[in-house]
Amino acid sequence: MTEIPRINRLFPNQVKDVILPEALAFPRAVDQWVRAVFVASVDGAASIAGHAGGLGNDIDMQLFALNRALADVILVGAGTARTEVYGPAEDDAQWRHLRENRSPTAPMAVVSHSLDLDFSASLFTEAPRSARTILITCADAPAQARAQAAEVAEVIVAGQSSVDLSAAIAELQSRGFARIVCEGGPQLFTDLMEAEGVDELCLTRSPTLVAGTETRILRGAQFDPPVELELKTLYGTDDGFLYLLYQPAA
C-alpha cells in the first residue's frame, strides 16, 4: 500500500507530520462547501507556457488527487477543460476509501455559456454512468448545442444570457453535490468570487519565479474593494513548497 504523504503544519500551531487527508479535510460543521484549488509561483503565475502543469511537486499532485476524491463534484470552466484536455476523474486507488457510499469518482461539471465543446471528447464519452459529466449553461445558449449536450451529459440551465453561478451552485447542491471543488480556470474563479460563491481557497505556493505574461489565479476586472482573505492553515514541506488554506474574511 502506498504510504500516505505527510506535511508539516506551520500555522496556527506547529505540528510535524500531519497526514494529507487530515490537512485537507472539509469542515465537519458545515453541510455545503465550495473549495477552489490552485497552484501558483512566488510571483503569482498560475501557468507555464499556458498550462498549469510544471509548477507543482509530488505533494501538490497528490493534494490535487485528494481534493478530487473528497469532492462530490468537480467544477471547471470550459476554457480550462479545453486547454488542459480534461477527461473524467480517474479512480485513484490511494484515496478510493474516501469515496465510500459514493460513486467511485466525482463527476465533472463544466461551465460554458456557448457550449462550444467537442462532445465526442473523452470528457463526455468515457465518463462512467455513476459520474456522468454535467454541463452548466444559460438559457440563451444555442439550442442545437444544448440538444447535442443533452445526449452526452446532464445539462443544468442557470441564468438567462449568462451563467448565474449562485443558481448553478444551488442546483448542484440540490442534487446532493454538497462538497464542490473548483479547479478553475481564472475567469471562473473570479466570477465565483464576485458571486460570493467560494468558501475556501486551497493554494499551493511553488518556490519558483516565472515572469512573463502567464495567467494568474484570477482574471478580469479589479475587485473594488479588494477581497480580504483570512489564513486559516499553513503547511510546508522541506522542498520550500507552501500549502495554504484561506477563507474570505468575515
Side-chain angles (χ1 to χ4, degrees):
M1 184 176 177
T2 305
E3 183 179 356
I4 297 177
R6 297 172 176 270
I7 53 179
N8 300 318
R9 190 171 72 209
L10 308 176
F11 176 85
N13 300 306
Q14 292 191 11
V15 178
K16 275 201 166 185
D17 294 333
V18 179
I19 61 171
L20 208 58
E22 178 183 326
L24 270 291
F26 280 86
R28 295 180 180 178
V30 294
D31 295 327
Q32 298 176 340
W33 199 253
V34 179
R35 171 184 287 171
V37 179
F38 283 95
V39 57
S41 66
V42 170
D43 59 324
S47 62
I48 296 177
H51 293 273
L55 285 171
N57 61 353
D58 182 63
I59 291 289
D60 178 67
M61 288 188 287
Q62 293 186 67
L63 181 152
F64 181 82
L66 172 59
N67 268 311
R68 285 189 162 194
L70 293 171
D72 293 325
V73 66
I74 300 161
L75 188 66
V76 63
T80 295
R82 284 190 294 264
T83 300
E84 304 295 339
V85 194
Y86 262 58
E90 296 181 2
D91 182 2
D92 192 313
Q94 179 166 332
W95 307 121
R96 188 177 295 152
H97 65 285
L98 298 173
R99 298 202 59 80
E100 187 176 359
N101 299 321
R102 296 187 293 172
S103 59
T105 58
M108 293 289 176
V110 182
V111 178
S112 175
H113 298 72
S114 65
L115 293 178
D116 181 17
L117 296 159
D118 179 5
F119 296 121
S120 67
S122 63
L123 178 61
F124 305 104
T125 61
E126 297 179 14
R129 186 172 296 182
S130 61
R132 196 176 188 220
T133 296
I134 300 166
L135 279 172
I136 301 172
T137 191
C138 56
D140 287 349
Q144 183 177 355
R146 278 180 59 183
Q148 287 180 288
E151 293 178 2
V152 295
E154 179 181 353
V155 177
I156 293 176
V157 177
Q160 186 64 42
S161 59
S162 62
V163 175
D164 181 333
L165 287 172
S166 296
I169 294 297
E171 285 288 342
L172 289 173
Q173 291 172 338
S174 72
R175 287 164 166 77
F177 301 123
R179 295 176 176 180
I180 300 171
V181 167
C182 175
E183 295 181 354
Q187 188 62 61
L188 177 58
F189 181 38
T190 301
D191 293 343
L192 274 173
M193 289 299 300
E194 289 181 332
E196 299 183 354
V198 178
D199 298 299
E200 184 177 55
L201 169 62
C202 176
L203 177 65
T204 296
R205 183 66 79 182
S206 172
T208 55
L209 296 171
V210 176
T213 57
E214 295 293 338
T215 299
R216 300 193 300 171
I217 67 172
L218 292 164
R219 179 171 57 220
Q222 183 175 344
F223 291 149
D224 185 20
V227 177
E228 295 185 7
L229 301 177
E230 180 180 356
L231 179 64
K232 304 302 292 187
T233 322
L234 169 64
Y235 298 92
T237 45
D238 293 339
D239 57 2
F241 277 77
L242 297 174
Y243 315 90
L244 306 99
L245 290 175
Y246 287 105
Q247 292 177 18

